[in-house]
C-alpha cells in the first residue's frame, strides 16, 4: 500500500540493548576492568547485543533485515 511503500511495515519500532548492573558487573566496572571482561560477564547473564535484539525483531516479523542493516550500518571503513 502507499502507507508502507510496499514494504508491509508501517510505523517505528525501537530496539534496545540493556545492560543490567548485576553485582558482578558493577564490581568489574568499579575495578576499571576491560570492556571485554564486562561484556563476557553480561553474556553470562544472558544479555543480548543490539544486533541480536534487532534480529529477533526480524524473526518475529516486526521489521525486515534490510531495515536492520540500514539502521545499524556504521560509517567505519
Amino acid at each position: 500500500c502507499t502507507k508502507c511503500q510496499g514494504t508491509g511495515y508501517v510505523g517505528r519500532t525501537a530496539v534496545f540493548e540493556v545492560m543490567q548492573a548485576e553485582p558482578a558487573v558493577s564490581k568489574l566496572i568499579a575495578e576499571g576492568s576491560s570492556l571485554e571482561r564486562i561484556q563476557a560477564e553480561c553474556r553470562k547473564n544472558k544479555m543480548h547485543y543490539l544486533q541480536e535484539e534487532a534480529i529477533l525483531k526480524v524473526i518475529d516479523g516486526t521489521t525486515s533485515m534490510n531495515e536492520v542493516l540500514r539502521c545499524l550500518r556504521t560509517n567505519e571503513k
Side-chain angles (χ1 to χ4, degrees), residues 24-43:
V25 173
S26 295
K27 183 178 181 207
L28 289 173
I29 293 169
E31 292 172 349
S33 294
S34 69
L35 178 59
E36 290 78 19
R37 284 192 63 203
I38 295 168
Q39 286 175 327
E41 187 62 36
C42 289
R43 291 300 266 187

Side-chain angles (χ1 to χ4, degrees), residues 9-25:
Y9 303 102
V10 69
R12 295 177 185 251
T13 298
V15 177
F16 299 96
E17 178 180 86
V18 178
M19 181 184 82
Q20 292 186 332
E22 302 287 338
V25 173

Side-chain angles (χ1 to χ4, degrees), residues 3-70:
K3 268 187 163 180
C4 71
Q5 299 174 8
T7 64
Y9 303 102
V10 69
R12 295 177 185 251
T13 298
V15 177
F16 299 96
E17 178 180 86
V18 178
M19 181 184 82
Q20 292 186 332
E22 302 287 338
V25 173
S26 295
K27 183 178 181 207
L28 289 173
I29 293 169
E31 292 172 349
S33 294
S34 69
L35 178 59
E36 290 78 19
R37 284 192 63 203
I38 295 168
Q39 286 175 327
E41 187 62 36
C42 289
R43 291 300 266 187
K44 285 182 191 176
N45 295 321
K46 305 207 183 328
M47 177 185 148
H48 292 143
Y49 295 131
L50 185 67
Q51 296 86 344
E52 293 168 320
E53 288 293 332
I55 294 299
L56 291 172
K57 297 283 185 193
V58 172
I59 291 168
D60 74 12
T62 303
T63 192
S64 68
M65 193 66 202
N66 285 340
E67 185 65 3
V68 167
L69 293 173
R70 184 187 72 79

